[in-house]
Amino acid sequence: MRLRWLVWLCALVPTVALALTPVTLCPGQNVEPMPDGRMLGHLPYPEANPADLVTIPGDFGVGRPCVMHRDAAAAMAQLLAAADLAPAVKGKLRGISCFRTVERQRQIFCSQIGPKKRCANAAERAKSSGPPGYSEHATGYALDFAIRPLSKGCGDVSDCIAHTPPGQWLLQHATEFGFELSFPPGNAQGVTWEPWHWRWVGVSAAAPGAAAARALFTAARTRFPAQPGIPEVALPPEWQKAIVPAPSPTPIWPK
């Protein structure tokens, strides 16, 4: 029995050593992964298959076209159509950043680290951006919303978006189209509150494409639940018809 335990321990040690080998995220930024596989609080994600990506038509993308996984893009079209029915929101929701390659994420992450830059090191940068290989944007299912025209005193990727009519609309209705807020206030991942960043997982597990999306976000959804989020298990249709929905309260978000 003792020999078996020693064999198991010897086999485990190289694995642990490999998992904790420092990774060079940016020049001069060598970071050791966390024991659970995360990097500075962020979970790892694969880069989407280009064959699964489509460009959302029109001027939805800000600065560059908004590219998303085709299943998420279909849901986005429905979301935007519904948003246009609200006078205070119509035509104002845009996508400032959608799918990003791992290399593109590296540029975004590393460009703000260094002297006279926004962040002193990778750990500080990771509070507001995923390291390359650890961003939901790489999956094609996530995006950052922007508002156009810009709201007075509220720039892009700022939490003040939550206090604008378009931002409030998203907080109250985005889940109806399969989108959930990845980084709510005080999230355990240590990422800043991002009311502009949403990921698509489908309105139910049975929705077309939802199973694949939910598989990618299993760890995030079980360990770091989204808020607003979408329940993993949907009620059977016959049960849903028997339920009278209660009025949705307005979310109370940090001021």
Side-chain angles (χ1 to χ4, degrees), residues 85-176:
L85 298 178
V89 184
K90 183 176 181 180
K92 294 183 178 180
L93 284 176
R94 307 279 289 278
I96 194 169
S97 191
C98 304
F99 165 73
R100 300 175 190 157
T101 63
V102 172
E103 185 53 38
R104 173 63 179 160
Q105 187 67 29
R106 189 183 311 281
Q107 296 169 3
I108 292 173
F109 185 84
C110 298
S111 65
Q112 295 300 323
I113 298 175
K116 299 183 180 180
K117 297 292 182 67
R118 184 186 307 172
C119 305
N121 52 48
E124 190 175 322
R125 178 64 171 140
K127 293 178 181 178
S128 59
S129 181
Y134 296 82
S135 171
E136 292 184 347
H137 286 278
T139 67
Y141 292 109
L143 84 158
D144 294 338
F145 280 101
I147 298 175
R148 291 294 184 272
L150 284 168
S151 294
K152 185 176 181 181
C154 185
D156 293 327
V157 294
S158 299
D159 57 21
C160 53
I161 188 178
H163 308 301
T164 66
Q168 277 289 303
W169 188 92
L170 285 173
L171 291 169
Q172 295 177 31
H173 299 289
T175 56
E176 297 168 15

Side-chain angles (χ1 to χ4, degrees), residues 9-41:
L9 181 61
C10 290
L12 178 64
V13 170
T15 301
V16 173
L18 178 62
L20 299 181
T21 300
V23 175
T24 301
L25 298 178
C26 310
Q29 298 296 309
N30 302 319
V31 182
E32 189 175 278
M34 301 170 73
D36 62 2
R38 287 185 292 153
M39 178 68 71
L40 298 173

